[in-house]
Amino acid sequence: MAQKAAKQLAARNAAILYRMHLISLGINVSFVLLRYTLLQASSSRATYLLYFVLASPAFAIQFWLEKIGRPATAQNGDLQKPGADLEAQGLMEYLWDVLYWSWGCIVAATVFGNKAWWLWAVIPLYSLWLAYTTFGGIKQSMGGMMGQGSDLSNTGNTSNRQKKFEKRGGQKVQYR
């Protein structure tokens, strides 16, 4: 049964990588072709320098995803390792977000020109926001474990019987 899951993961990874390479090829070739042919008047050395500098993270991410996600097979065709799950949560999800946004910036720069490269500045801002929310959630959950949220935990732990007793004017039950 485990071999079936590994084969499914390998097939899914191979399909995802194939689709990723086709999309990347289409976007990058269209940028270069359109800049050399139709939009040659607005092209300059700065255009291509910006393209190579700001598209390089997308190429690096694609290389990394290819390296960790490509299934490895033996010479006889048996599956040796299915590769890492390319649909996993966490860092993998962030890498896909950066890759998609980089592709969107390339398309925008193809259509709208060099000013569209400023859209790429969203990626570091997104990284900062993601780090802030991640560490904020960790800090909040750690605060509950350290006893800082004890005033809220006592009100939620009382039973209905204790609540009725206290409502009638009975002595409030204190916990140690």
Side-chain angles (χ1 to χ4, degrees):
M1 193 65 152
Q3 188 68 11
K4 181 180 177 185
K7 287 180 182 178
Q8 288 176 346
L9 179 62
R12 194 170 56 237
N13 281 353
I16 289 171
L17 290 171
Y18 178 73
R19 185 177 62 231
M20 177 188 67
H21 291 313
L22 281 181
I23 292 170
S24 178
L25 180 70
I27 288 172
N28 291 301
V29 166
S30 67
F31 177 85
V32 171
L33 285 179
L34 287 174
R35 285 292 167 177
Y36 274 128
T37 58
L38 298 176
L39 305 171
Q40 189 174 11
S42 65
S43 295
S44 66
R45 183 172 284 196
T47 301
Y48 299 112
L49 181 65
L50 280 171
Y51 168 72
F52 286 118
V53 168
L54 296 177
S56 60
F59 293 134
I61 290 172
Q62 290 174 47
F63 175 75
W64 178 251
L65 292 175
E66 176 72 31
K67 184 177 178 182
I68 66 169
R70 179 65 62 185
T73 56
Q75 289 183 359
N76 61 359
D78 290 340
L79 183 66
Q80 285 184 330
K81 70 174 186 109
D85 186 10
L86 295 178
E87 295 175 336
Q89 300 291 319
L91 180 64
M92 196 69 68
E93 193 173 40
Y94 173 73
L95 290 175
W96 284 110
D97 290 344
V98 171
L99 185 65
Y100 292 147
W101 189 257
S102 296
W103 286 344
C105 290
I106 293 171
V107 169
T110 302
V111 175
F112 301 116
N114 285 346
K115 300 243 185 224
W117 288 115
W118 283 101
L119 292 172
W120 206 86
V122 171
I123 294 174
L125 296 175
Y126 175 66
S127 301
L128 290 174
W129 177 78
L130 197 61
Y132 174 76
T133 57
T134 300
F135 291 123
I138 291 172
K139 183 179 173 184
Q140 185 179 20
S141 67
M142 293 297 271
M145 288 193 303
M146 300 299 282
Q148 294 172 355
S150 61
D151 56 344
L152 296 176
S153 63
N154 285 343
T155 59
N157 290 338
T158 58
S159 67
N160 287 337
R161 183 176 179 189
Q162 290 172 345
K163 288 178 187 176
K164 287 179 186 177
F165 182 70
E166 291 171 2
K167 188 177 179 181
R168 282 191 229 135
Q171 187 178 13
K172 185 172 179 171
V173 179
Q174 293 185 3
Y175 298 98
R176 296 179 196 199

